[in-house]
Amino acid sequence: MTLQCEIIPVTPFQQNCSLVWDTATMRGALVDAGGEVDHLLERVRHHGVQLEKLLVTHGHLDHASGVQDLAERLQLPIEGPHEDDLFWIEGLPQAAKQYGFPPARSFTPDRWLRHGDTVTVGSLTFDVLHCPGHTPGHVVFHHAPSRVAFVGDVLFQGSIGRTDFPRGNHAHLIDAIRNRLFPLGDDNRFVPGHGPMSTFGQERKSNPYVSDAAVKD
Ligand SMILES: [Zn+2]
Ligand SMILES: [Zn+2]
């Protein structure tokens, strides 16, 4: 029952799509299939993974624009994000035009997620943490046995997600990082939506927005 993962950057925004799978069953999921669907499927085939679902952290274009195409082509269920991101998902076609992306389609998740839910991939179980602020319906997937989290655009190495979008909220974002992610433990690694991996401990030490020193009065 071991988690394997390949990070596959996609879209002009170099979004980290993660192919995660369970080595026991070789069943897997794509977290944030943001685009370049054929490239993603090539990696899936390369590893001999049987995809069983699509997981989505939030409704932004670079994280979600390949979701509907994949769901249709492979008849896969979509889980996530939290329902508060509905307006972002409905806006995907418009956002694609605005940012000069290939046409992107909206979708309807088979399952909206809430804080405290779990999702399964093969025999692996991920905990769902609702972490609003970057978008109101942003969720994080945490695999406790591997001590690894897929955090989307909540937290980056040395930075945090933007909160200047509609219904963004800086205070909510800081609160989610400090009070939902950091309590998972310093040794947890995380895969951000963009850029290199880091650990919660490293960010508590040196992230200029959410380090212990930065949030002290
Ligand atoms: Zn985003
Ligand atoms: Zn992003």
Side-chain angles (χ1 to χ4, degrees), residues 128-215:
V128 174
L129 296 98
H130 183 205
C131 294
H134 174 67
T135 67
H138 201 306
V139 296
V140 163
F141 301 102
H142 180 234
H143 188 242
S146 310
R147 306 196 73 67
V148 65
F150 298 84
V151 305
D153 288 350
V154 171
L155 178 66
F156 304 108
Q157 184 193 70
S159 190
I160 58 172
R162 285 173 59 176
T163 53
D164 56 338
F165 296 114
R167 295 184 61 194
N169 187 309
H170 183 76
H172 288 177
L173 183 65
I174 302 293
D175 181 62
I177 295 167
R178 294 283 310 176
N179 298 315
R180 291 199 161 161
L181 297 186
F182 286 177
L184 298 174
D186 284 351
D187 62 324
N188 276 267
R189 294 177 304 148
F190 67 89
V191 179
H194 308 264
M197 290 181 72
S198 180
T199 64
F200 293 143
Q202 179 61 39
E203 301 312 306
R204 275 190 58 199
K205 239 184 261 157
S206 62
N207 188 302
Y209 301 93
V210 287
S211 69
D212 291 347
V215 297

Side-chain angles (χ1 to χ4, degrees), residues 21-41:
W21 71 96
D22 165 24
T23 55
T25 61
M26 289 309 282
R27 296 181 73 81
L30 287 165
V31 183
D32 287 354
E36 301 179 38
V37 163
D38 291 326
H39 176 51
L40 294 178
L41 289 178

Side-chain angles (χ1 to χ4, degrees), residues 9 30 37 49 61 71 90 113 121 125 127 144 155 170 176 184 193-194:
L30 287 165
V37 163
V49 171
L61 183 65
E90 288 177 339
L113 297 174
V121 177
T125 301
D127 299 309
L155 178 66
H170 183 76
L184 298 174
H194 308 264

Side-chain angles (χ1 to χ4, degrees), residues 58 62-63 153 194:
H58 67 297
D62 50 328
H63 297 253
D153 288 350
H194 308 264

